[in-house]
Amino acid sequence: MLHETQQKYRIKGFYKETQFQKTPVGKIPREWRLIKISELATLLKRGKTPKYGDSNVIVIKTAHVYPDRIKFEEAPRASPSFIKKLPSQYFLKPGDILINSTGTGSVGRVGFFNGYPEPCTVDSHVTILRVNTNIALSKFVFYYLSSPIGFKALVSKAVGSTNQIELYTDAIGDTLIPLPPLEEQRGIAEVLSSVDNAIEAVERLIEKLKRIKQGLIQILLTRGLGHKEFQETPIGKIPKEWQLVRLKEVTTLIKTGPFGSQLRKSELTNNGIKVYTQENVLQRDFSIGDLYIYIEKFEQLRSFEVKPGDVLLTIRGTVGKSIVVPEHIERGIIHTNLAILRVNKEKLLPQFLEQIINESNIFIKQIKSSSSSTTLPALYAKTIKMLWIPLPPLEEQHRIASILKSIDEWIEVEEKRKEVLECLKRSLMDLLLTG
């Protein structure tokens, strides 16, 4: 495929270029030229300050502009009176490049407007760049401006203080970009678009898998597999063959992390026995973290030691997230913001408990109902012990956990595939956009 594209469009980036010219933006192939954005634009203007209302025209703001997508679904609508007075050139056309022109963290970020079922415009913090297609391909210009080199070029021209940073239209117009011959631009844009399409396809599949999983979870964790008769319980309907139990009935240990004088900040070191924190649970990664205690302190806190098969539960801040401790992790204890749930494996599968905590609202509803606060309270061992969970037969727990695990593994494979494609795109952009 790449060979065919090279033949059709003569993309120089697919073979070693030997003739370069030095330019203010670095070395570029000799047959390329530098051009100011103002020289290839038929329109380079900021949008108008809108009045919002209930017209059918969408107003795109800086928060909606990203290189991989424009968040149309989050954008507000303009008022009919504003639209009536808006000059026609401010209505977006397919191929328009949107450039965020204010705000730290968003200035210089670009998006590509590929059309939308409803008319769209931008507010005064976004600049519209409409490319003269006789000179340049808008998709090529977009890819260059969204690359690290192009982004850096735009941001370098922003002025102002931290909270009032501005990228003025004249500064955008003065920005130089390297421009290959038009047919070569088409070839480069086609290659990068192909990778973008592949990334979008993977993203759609991941979202579909997540929706399937969420639907399955609601069925599997409350209705089980193949049951026809159900019973009412304090947590809702569950199969008649299932039990409703409190956590203390199916665990051998429920213990919250060391508190107060049990583990002082001054006793933490950078080597020794690891201290696992909330981040290990939230990031689902036991390799991260740099908190340790000396072996002498560990001997005092041995009862807080983490063991494979334990379910770690977040109990402060972000409450109610869990993970099963895998085999072969670094020896360690839990921090103050975690609890250890050690299950009786003759009654309860750790992975099944993890799914109940993370994927259903069974836990969270009970935690919220135990507090008058609108935020989730800190969890204590006595509260955790009294929480209800549905308990299928152990064999059914294994089957349910296996089904959900297979979907998780599929999602993980697709997310890794997406990472590979994104890495490929970055490499191609570096290779193709500078010759």
Side-chain angles (χ1 to χ4, degrees), residues 13 90 112 132 242 249 283 300 306 320 324 333 369 409 415 425:
Y90 290 97
F112 189 81
N132 183 340
W242 290 16
E249 299 175 55
Q283 300 296 326
Q300 299 173 22
V306 172
V324 177
I333 66 168
S369 66
E409 288 173 346
E415 286 177 337
K425 181 184 173 184

Side-chain angles (χ1 to χ4, degrees), residues 317-380:
T318 304
V319 174
K321 295 297 180 182
S322 69
I323 190 172
V324 177
V325 177
E327 298 284 345
H328 311 303
I329 66 160
E330 190 175 355
R331 193 179 193 186
I333 66 168
I334 54 170
H335 195 260
T336 305
N337 49 22
L338 293 179
I340 294 172
L341 312 182
R342 190 165 294 153
V343 306
N344 180 341
K345 293 183 181 178
E346 293 181 357
K347 297 180 178 180
L348 179 60
L349 192 67
Q351 290 78 7
F352 184 77
L353 177 59
E354 179 191 12
Q355 295 285 3
I356 287 175
I357 295 170
N358 290 345
E359 308 293 356
S360 76
N361 57 12
I362 293 170
F363 242 58
I364 296 300
K365 274 188 175 180
Q366 293 179 77
I367 295 168
K368 284 183 175 179
S369 66
S370 69
S371 172
S372 58
S373 172
T374 55
T375 58
L376 291 176
L379 282 179
Y380 300 96

Side-chain angles (χ1 to χ4, degrees), residues 30 44 61 100 110 115 132 140 162 167 194 220 236 244 266 269 273 429:
R30 184 164 291 178
L44 186 64
K61 306 168 75 171
N100 283 354
V110 300
N132 183 340
F140 175 86
T162 302
L167 182 57
S194 295
L220 295 176
L244 183 69
S266 59
T269 68
I273 305 297
M429 289 177 81

Side-chain angles (χ1 to χ4, degrees), residues 64-83:
H64 311 135
V65 176
Y66 288 86
D68 60 339
R69 65 179 295 221
I70 294 173
K71 297 183 177 181
F72 297 102
E73 69 281 0
E74 297 179 9
R77 294 177 181 274
S79 69
S81 60
F82 172 77
I83 293 305

Side-chain angles (χ1 to χ4, degrees), residues 5 9-14 29 32 137 139-141 143-144 178-195 428-429 431-435:
T5 305
Y9 296 111
R10 305 200 329 266
I11 301 178
K12 305 295 184 184
F14 287 130
W32 291 23
L137 193 74
K139 206 63 184 281
F140 175 86
V141 176
Y143 278 127
Y144 181 80
L179 204 64
L182 201 55
E183 69 168 343
E184 194 171 337
Q185 294 179 46
R186 290 192 186 98
I188 292 170
E190 180 185 274
V191 171
L192 294 175
S193 293
S194 295
V195 180
L428 286 172
M429 289 177 81
L431 179 69
L432 299 176
L433 297 174
T434 59

Side-chain angles (χ1 to χ4, degrees), residues 49-64:
T49 302
K51 292 182 180 178
Y52 298 108
D54 58 358
S55 76
N56 69 331
V57 178
I58 291 172
V59 181
I60 297 168
K61 306 168 75 171
T62 56
H64 311 135

